[in-house]
Amino acid sequence: MSPSHHSCALLGFAGFSGSGKTTLLRQLVGLLTRRQLRIGIIKHTHHDVEQDQPGKDSFELRHAGARQCLLAGPHRSILTWENTKPEEPDLNESLSRLSLDRLDLVLVEGFRTAPIAKIEVHRPACDKPLLCLHDPHILAVATDVPDLVAPVPLLDLNNPAAIAEIIVHWWQAGRLPVPAD
């Protein structure tokens, strides 16, 4: 499916906590993968993350002072980068750690204020403001309220197959590529 002239695209998913971003992304990854798109994910978190456990060699080596640790296995590899001091993650730096030449589309969850094309996930029941009113990078709003008033097209949050179809069309249309360093 991936024409050779396509470079890796970047599409963000923005919304407040509890709006359903991760649930939607989980559905979209499966649907887009079945369409032969090679998907990468960057998920922003405010929490400290630990994918390893005490007692394991990789955990002990990393905690001994290794700045980067690549745990390479037959089915998956895990790369851990240690920040010298706690700091908010940078989207471009996060992108630089992916093998973008092996991906068609990177879906970004979080990084709400990043100047990238994105879909807003909005549930009026969460009682949060619409981001698209102030963010010109939002292409559409995925919502569970069909008569929501918004300055961009509405997508049915409960129909991930239709959203996946729109993403595929957007990707094929020669969307904006990933920003260069």
Side-chain angles (χ1 to χ4, degrees):
M1 164 153 208
S2 148
S4 59
H5 68 277
H6 278 285
S7 57
C8 183
L10 186 62
L11 181 61
F13 286 79
F16 291 95
S17 181
S19 62
K21 295 181 303 292
T22 303
T23 300
L24 177 60
L25 274 172
R26 195 167 42 240
Q27 296 166 322
L28 290 174
V29 168
L31 291 162
L32 294 169
T33 299
R34 284 195 281 286
R35 296 288 303 267
Q36 308 305 310
L37 282 173
R38 300 169 302 167
I39 303 297
I41 294 281
I42 294 178
K43 182 177 179 7
H44 180 274
T45 181
H46 294 285
H47 310 288
D48 196 14
V49 291
E50 183 64 69
Q51 88 281 353
D52 216 345
Q53 47 193 320
K56 294 291 185 182
D57 293 345
S58 49
F59 181 94
E60 300 303 331
L61 291 166
R62 209 177 85 242
H63 283 271
R67 290 279 180 90
Q68 296 179 32
C69 178
L70 178 65
L71 181 58
H75 295 283
R76 75 193 49 82
S77 296
I78 301 169
L79 178 60
T80 305
W81 294 67
E82 296 294 326
N83 294 327
T84 52
K85 62 183 186 328
E87 58 190 349
E88 269 303 299
D90 177 78
L91 180 56
N92 284 325
E93 187 177 323
S94 298
L95 281 167
S96 74
R97 295 175 179 165
L98 296 179
S99 299
L100 297 175
D101 59 326
R102 295 178 169 198
L103 299 171
D104 297 311
L105 178 61
V106 175
L107 303 178
V108 177
E109 180 180 343
F111 294 98
R112 191 184 313 158
T113 60
I116 61 170
K118 50 184 111 78
I119 292 174
E120 178 175 355
V121 181
H122 181 80
R123 290 184 192 271
C126 292
D127 204 29
K128 297 287 186 185
L130 268 171
L131 299 170
C132 64
L133 298 176
H134 305 287
D135 185 343
H137 303 286
I138 292 176
L139 307 174
V141 175
T143 183
D144 56 353
V145 175
D147 58 351
L148 184 74
V149 177
V152 294
L154 299 182
L155 307 175
D156 182 354
L157 184 55
N158 298 313
N159 189 349
I163 296 173
E165 191 65 30
I166 288 166
I167 291 170
V168 168
H169 287 296
W170 172 81
W171 179 80
Q172 290 172 330
R175 69 289 164 268
L176 297 175
V178 181
D181 302 62

